[in-house]
Amino acid sequence: MEYAYDDQNIFAKILRGEIPNKTVYENDYALAFEDIAPQAPVHVLVIPKGAYVSLDHFARDASAEEHHGFMQAVAEVCRIMDVEAGFRSIANTRVHGVQDVPHYHMHIIGGRQLGRMLQ
Ligand code: AMP
């Protein structure tokens, strides 16, 4: 599959510092920030700093260091946001997954009972 990355997407602009974000955690490979329209008391987006359009793109082409750095950011977000009671991670992907922003991002959602995954 061909993955075409559009560097004008909003998360690319956040990574370049062109628009602000509420940073929760950052390392060399990933940035985590609060979702602008939270769906629950905890709603953080974790994004890689590399140019990946989707989870499957990242899974296929990212280096071991990028994978490790991304997951380390996920762990830090879970610690910082104190989601010991549980949370949901979501990676909406392309058309069927209703992905709005074409830069891979993992939603970390929690802070309340979320109900079943799909209606
Ligand atoms: P999706 O691509 O459908 O998985 O979701 C994109 C998410 O990005 C939505 O939850 C939006 O609320 C969020 N979002 C869009 N723009 C911003 C922004 N400037 N800062 C933080 N979150 C954003």
Side-chain angles (χ1 to χ4, degrees), residues 10-11 14 19-22 33-39 43 45 90-93 97-103 105 107:
I10 197 148
F11 295 167
I14 284 177
I19 59 172
N21 74 93
K22 289 187 179 166
F33 53 97
E34 291 183 13
D35 195 291
I36 205 167
Q39 303 295 308
H43 191 166
L45 302 172
I90 299 173
N92 297 319
T93 304
V98 193
Q99 179 179 5
D100 289 331
V101 181
H103 180 113
H105 49 284
H107 298 254

Side-chain angles (χ1 to χ4, degrees), residues 64-85:
E65 289 78 11
E66 288 176 298
H67 279 283
H68 182 260
F70 186 87
M71 282 305 176
Q72 196 229 343
V74 171
E76 284 299 308
V77 167
C78 291
R79 183 186 63 77
I80 292 163
M81 303 310 288
D82 193 20
V83 288
E84 210 170 301

Side-chain angles (χ1 to χ4, degrees), residues 1-68:
M1 168 156 179
E2 286 282 312
Y3 297 103
Y5 185 80
D6 171 13
D7 69 3
Q8 293 307 303
N9 77 76
I10 197 148
F11 295 167
K13 291 179 180 178
I14 284 177
L15 285 170
R16 291 194 295 267
E18 294 168 10
I19 59 172
N21 74 93
K22 289 187 179 166
T23 298
V24 173
Y25 178 77
E26 182 172 13
N27 64 25
D28 286 347
Y29 299 101
L31 174 69
F33 53 97
E34 291 183 13
D35 195 291
I36 205 167
Q39 303 295 308
V42 174
H43 191 166
V44 175
L45 302 172
V46 186
I47 68 174
K49 291 189 173 177
Y52 300 101
V53 298
S54 58
L55 169 60
D56 51 333
H57 186 197
F58 185 78
R60 190 187 72 178
D61 290 352
S63 68
E65 289 78 11
E66 288 176 298
H67 279 283
H68 182 260

